[in-house]
Amino acid sequence: MSTRHCSPSCFFSFFASLFLHIGICLFILSSQGIAQTNDRTVDSLLYVLETEKDIPEKIEILNKLHSQTHPNNPRQSLDYPLEVIRLAKSISDFSQLSKACQKMGMSYVL
């Protein structure tokens, strides 16, 4: 009766493959969790935006919405700087106007 032995490189190859597959599974699972958390954050911000009356606060919320949507949905993220531009012009906030134009450029790049 002969016993079959595996070389050290065989073990390394097996474990490297195993860790790669585990890493891929963990990445997929974590990215789904992040997407769900991001959706909840966006929903919460949209709710607060609807109830907020103070224009500088609205601008801050819109900037946060842009930051949350920009990586996954650049097209949707364009809506928020456009609204910031409108609001910033109404209160002559040129700093926020400038930042909104920069955020629009970031969205167009993607």
Side-chain angles (χ1 to χ4, degrees), residues 9-92:
S9 64
C10 177
F11 280 117
F12 176 76
S13 177
F14 169 75
F15 283 111
S17 176
L18 178 68
F19 286 126
L20 177 65
H21 285 88
I22 290 172
I24 290 170
C25 289
L26 289 174
F27 175 75
I28 290 170
L29 291 173
S30 68
S31 65
Q32 288 176 347
I34 291 169
Q36 289 174 352
T37 302
N38 191 23
D39 289 343
R40 282 189 228 126
T41 303
V42 170
D43 290 343
S44 297
L45 288 169
L46 287 170
Y47 177 76
V48 172
L49 181 64
E50 288 178 17
T51 59
E52 184 60 55
K53 302 293 182 208
D54 185 42
I55 291 178
E57 265 313 301
K58 279 188 168 197
I59 289 173
E60 283 302 314
I61 295 166
L62 288 163
N63 285 332
K64 289 177 184 176
L65 280 165
H66 177 268
S67 297
Q68 291 293 319
T69 56
H70 174 268
N72 300 326
N73 193 345
R75 183 167 293 205
Q76 180 190 4
S77 73
L78 278 172
D79 296 339
Y80 305 120
L82 286 171
E83 183 64 14
V84 169
I85 288 171
R86 188 184 70 74
L87 292 171
K89 281 182 180 178
S90 74
I91 61 171
S92 299

Side-chain angles (χ1 to χ4, degrees), residues 2-7 10-11:
S2 72
T3 57
R4 191 169 158 197
H5 294 285
C6 191
S7 68
C10 177
F11 280 117

